[in-house]
CSV table of all heavy atoms in Angstrom, one decimal:
chain,number,residue,atom,x,y,z
B,322,ALA,N,-0.2,25.5,-4.3
B,322,ALA,CA,0.3,24.1,-4.7
B,322,ALA,C,1.2,23.5,-3.6
B,322,ALA,O,1.1,22.4,-3.2
B,322,ALA,CB,1.1,24.3,-6.0
B,323,GLU,N,2.1,24.3,-3.1
B,323,GLU,CA,3.1,23.8,-2.1
B,323,GLU,C,2.4,23.5,-0.8
B,323,GLU,O,2.8,22.6,-0.1
B,323,GLU,CB,4.2,24.9,-2.0
B,323,GLU,CG,5.4,24.3,-1.3
B,323,GLU,CD,6.2,23.3,-2.2
B,323,GLU,OE1,5.9,23.2,-3.4
B,323,GLU,OE2,7.1,22.7,-1.6
B,324,LYS,N,1.3,24.2,-0.4
B,324,LYS,CA,0.6,24.0,0.8
B,324,LYS,C,-0.2,22.6,0.7
B,324,LYS,O,-0.3,21.9,1.7
B,324,LYS,CB,-0.4,25.1,1.1
B,324,LYS,CG,0.2,26.3,1.7
B,324,LYS,CD,-0.8,27.5,1.7
B,324,LYS,CE,-1.9,27.4,2.7
B,324,LYS,NZ,-1.6,27.8,4.1
B,325,CYS,N,-0.6,22.3,-0.5
B,325,CYS,CA,-1.2,21.0,-0.7
B,325,CYS,C,-0.1,19.9,-0.6
B,325,CYS,O,-0.3,18.9,0.1
B,325,CYS,CB,-1.8,20.9,-2.1
B,325,CYS,SG,-3.3,21.9,-2.3
B,326,ARG,N,1.0,20.1,-1.4
B,326,ARG,CA,2.1,19.1,-1.3
B,326,ARG,C,2.6,18.9,0.1
B,326,ARG,O,3.0,17.8,0.4
B,326,ARG,CB,3.2,19.6,-2.3
B,326,ARG,CG,4.3,18.6,-2.6
B,326,ARG,CD,5.6,19.0,-2.1
B,326,ARG,NE,6.6,17.9,-2.3
B,326,ARG,CZ,7.6,17.7,-1.5
B,326,ARG,NH1,7.8,18.5,-0.5
B,326,ARG,NH2,8.5,16.7,-1.7
B,327,ALA,N,2.7,20.0,0.8
B,327,ALA,CA,3.2,19.9,2.2
B,327,ALA,C,2.3,19.0,3.0
B,327,ALA,O,2.8,18.1,3.8
B,327,ALA,CB,3.3,21.3,2.9
B,328,ALA,N,1.0,19.1,2.8
B,328,ALA,CA,0.1,18.3,3.6
B,328,ALA,C,0.2,16.8,3.2
B,328,ALA,O,0.2,15.9,4.0
B,328,ALA,CB,-1.4,18.7,3.3
B,329,GLN,N,0.4,16.6,1.9
B,329,GLN,CA,0.6,15.3,1.4
B,329,GLN,C,1.9,14.6,1.9
B,329,GLN,O,1.9,13.4,2.3
B,329,GLN,CB,0.7,15.4,-0.1
B,329,GLN,CG,1.0,14.1,-0.9
B,329,GLN,CD,1.2,14.4,-2.4
B,329,GLN,OE1,2.0,15.4,-2.7
B,329,GLN,NE2,0.6,13.6,-3.3
B,330,MET,N,2.9,15.4,2.1
B,330,MET,CA,4.3,14.9,2.4
B,330,MET,C,4.7,15.0,3.8
B,330,MET,O,5.9,14.8,4.2
B,330,MET,CB,5.3,15.6,1.5
B,330,MET,CG,5.1,15.4,0.0
B,330,MET,SD,5.2,13.6,-0.5
B,330,MET,CE,5.1,13.7,-2.3
B,331,GLY,N,3.8,15.5,4.7
B,331,GLY,CA,4.1,15.6,6.1
B,331,GLY,C,5.1,16.7,6.4
B,331,GLY,O,5.8,16.6,7.4
B,332,ILE,N,5.1,17.7,5.6
B,332,ILE,CA,5.9,18.9,5.9
B,332,ILE,C,4.9,19.9,6.5
B,332,ILE,O,4.0,20.4,5.9
B,332,ILE,CB,6.5,19.5,4.6
B,332,ILE,CG1,7.4,18.5,3.9
B,332,ILE,CG2,7.2,20.8,4.9
B,332,ILE,CD1,8.8,18.3,4.6
B,333,PRO,N,5.1,20.3,7.8
B,333,PRO,CA,4.1,21.1,8.5
B,333,PRO,C,4.1,22.6,8.0
B,333,PRO,O,3.1,23.3,8.0
B,333,PRO,CB,4.4,21.0,9.9
B,333,PRO,CG,5.9,20.7,10.0
B,333,PRO,CD,6.1,19.8,8.8
B,334,ALA,N,5.4,23.0,7.6
B,334,ALA,CA,5.5,24.4,7.2
B,334,ALA,C,6.8,24.6,6.3
B,334,ALA,O,7.7,23.8,6.5
B,334,ALA,CB,5.5,25.3,8.4
B,335,PHE,N,6.8,25.6,5.5
B,335,PHE,CA,7.9,25.9,4.6
B,335,PHE,C,7.9,27.4,4.4
B,335,PHE,O,7.0,28.1,4.7
B,335,PHE,CB,7.8,25.1,3.3
B,335,PHE,CG,6.5,25.5,2.6
B,335,PHE,CD1,6.5,26.6,1.6
B,335,PHE,CD2,5.3,24.9,2.8
B,335,PHE,CE1,5.3,26.9,1.0
B,335,PHE,CE2,4.1,25.2,2.2
B,335,PHE,CZ,4.1,26.3,1.2
B,336,TYR,N,9.0,27.9,3.8
B,336,TYR,CA,9.2,29.3,3.5
B,336,TYR,C,9.1,29.5,2.0
B,336,TYR,O,9.6,28.7,1.2
B,336,TYR,CB,10.5,29.8,4.0
B,336,TYR,CG,10.5,29.9,5.5
B,336,TYR,CD1,10.9,28.8,6.3
B,336,TYR,CD2,10.1,31.0,6.2
B,336,TYR,CE1,11.0,28.9,7.7
B,336,TYR,CE2,10.1,31.2,7.5
B,336,TYR,CZ,10.5,30.1,8.3
B,336,TYR,OH,10.5,30.2,9.7
B,337,THR,N,8.5,30.6,1.6
B,337,THR,CA,8.4,31.0,0.2
B,337,THR,C,8.4,32.5,0.1
B,337,THR,O,8.0,33.2,0.9
B,337,THR,CB,7.0,30.5,-0.4
B,337,THR,OG1,7.0,30.9,-1.8
B,337,THR,CG2,5.8,31.0,0.3
B,338,PRO,N,9.0,32.9,-1.1
B,338,PRO,CA,9.1,34.4,-1.2
B,338,PRO,C,7.8,35.0,-1.7
B,338,PRO,O,7.7,36.3,-1.6
B,338,PRO,CB,10.2,34.5,-2.3
B,338,PRO,CG,10.1,33.3,-3.1
B,338,PRO,CD,9.7,32.2,-2.1
B,339,ALA,N,6.9,34.2,-2.2
B,339,ALA,CA,5.7,34.8,-2.9
B,339,ALA,C,4.9,35.6,-1.9
B,339,ALA,O,4.4,35.1,-0.9
B,339,ALA,CB,4.8,33.7,-3.5
B,340,GLY,N,4.6,36.8,-2.3
B,340,GLY,CA,3.7,37.7,-1.5
B,340,GLY,C,4.4,38.6,-0.5
B,340,GLY,O,3.8,39.4,0.1
B,341,PHE,N,5.8,38.5,-0.4
B,341,PHE,CA,6.5,39.4,0.4
B,341,PHE,C,6.2,40.9,0.0
B,341,PHE,O,6.2,41.2,-1.2
B,341,PHE,CB,8.0,39.2,0.3
B,341,PHE,CG,8.8,40.2,1.0
B,341,PHE,CD1,8.7,40.5,2.4
B,341,PHE,CD2,9.7,41.0,0.3
B,341,PHE,CE1,9.4,41.5,3.0
B,341,PHE,CE2,10.4,42.0,0.9
B,341,PHE,CZ,10.3,42.3,2.3
B,342,GLY,N,5.9,41.7,1.0
B,342,GLY,CA,5.7,43.1,0.7
B,342,GLY,C,4.3,43.4,0.2
B,342,GLY,O,3.9,44.6,0.0
B,343,THR,N,3.4,42.4,0.2
B,343,THR,CA,2.0,42.5,-0.2
B,343,THR,C,1.1,42.2,0.9
B,343,THR,O,1.5,41.8,2.0
B,343,THR,CB,1.7,41.6,-1.4
B,343,THR,OG1,1.5,40.3,-0.9
B,343,THR,CG2,2.8,41.6,-2.4
B,344,GLU,N,-0.2,42.4,0.7
B,344,GLU,CA,-1.2,42.1,1.7
B,344,GLU,C,-1.2,40.6,2.1
B,344,GLU,O,-1.7,40.2,3.2
B,344,GLU,CB,-2.6,42.6,1.4
B,344,GLU,CG,-3.1,42.0,0.2
B,344,GLU,CD,-4.5,42.5,-0.2
B,344,GLU,OE1,-4.6,43.8,-0.4
B,344,GLU,OE2,-5.5,41.8,-0.3
B,345,VAL,N,-0.7,39.8,1.3
B,345,VAL,CA,-0.6,38.3,1.6
B,345,VAL,C,0.3,38.1,2.8
B,345,VAL,O,0.2,37.1,3.5
B,345,VAL,CB,-0.1,37.5,0.3
B,345,VAL,CG1,0.4,36.1,0.7
B,345,VAL,CG2,-1.2,37.5,-0.7
B,346,ALA,N,1.3,39.0,2.9
B,346,ALA,CA,2.3,38.9,4.0
B,346,ALA,C,1.7,39.3,5.4
B,346,ALA,O,2.4,39.1,6.4
B,346,ALA,CB,3.6,39.6,3.7
B,347,LEU,N,0.6,40.0,5.4
B,347,LEU,CA,0.1,40.5,6.6
B,347,LEU,C,-0.2,39.3,7.6
B,347,LEU,O,-0.8,38.3,7.2
B,347,LEU,CB,-1.2,41.3,6.4
B,347,LEU,CG,-1.2,42.5,5.5
B,347,LEU,CD1,-2.5,43.1,5.3
B,347,LEU,CD2,-0.3,43.6,6.2
B,348,GLU,N,0.2,39.5,8.8
B,348,GLU,CA,0.1,38.4,9.8
B,348,GLU,C,0.8,37.2,9.5
B,348,GLU,O,0.6,36.1,10.1
B,348,GLU,CB,-1.5,38.1,10.0
B,348,GLU,CG,-2.2,39.3,10.6
B,348,GLU,CD,-3.7,39.1,10.6
B,348,GLU,OE1,-4.2,37.9,10.8
B,348,GLU,OE2,-4.4,40.1,10.3
B,349,LYS,N,1.6,37.2,8.5
B,349,LYS,CA,2.5,36.1,8.2
B,349,LYS,C,3.9,36.4,8.9
B,349,LYS,O,4.3,37.5,8.9
B,349,LYS,CB,2.8,35.9,6.7
B,349,LYS,CG,1.5,35.5,5.9
B,349,LYS,CD,1.4,33.9,5.8
B,349,LYS,CE,0.0,33.5,5.4
B,349,LYS,NZ,-0.3,33.9,4.0
B,350,GLU,N,4.5,35.3,9.3
B,350,GLU,CA,5.8,35.4,9.8
B,350,GLU,C,6.9,35.6,8.7
B,350,GLU,O,6.9,34.8,7.8
B,350,GLU,CB,6.1,34.1,10.6
B,350,GLU,CG,7.1,34.3,11.8
B,350,GLU,CD,7.2,33.0,12.5
B,350,GLU,OE1,6.1,32.5,13.0
B,350,GLU,OE2,8.3,32.5,12.6
Side-chain angles (χ1 to χ4, degrees):
Chain B
E323 199 68 12
K324 281 167 73 80
C325 294
R326 193 247 174 206
Q329 175 187 45
M330 297 299 187
I332 299 286
F335 60 91
Y336 289 91
T337 177
F341 170 62
T343 77
E344 63 182 56
V345 165
L347 296 174
E348 294 170 40
K349 292 268 164 69
E350 207 174 300

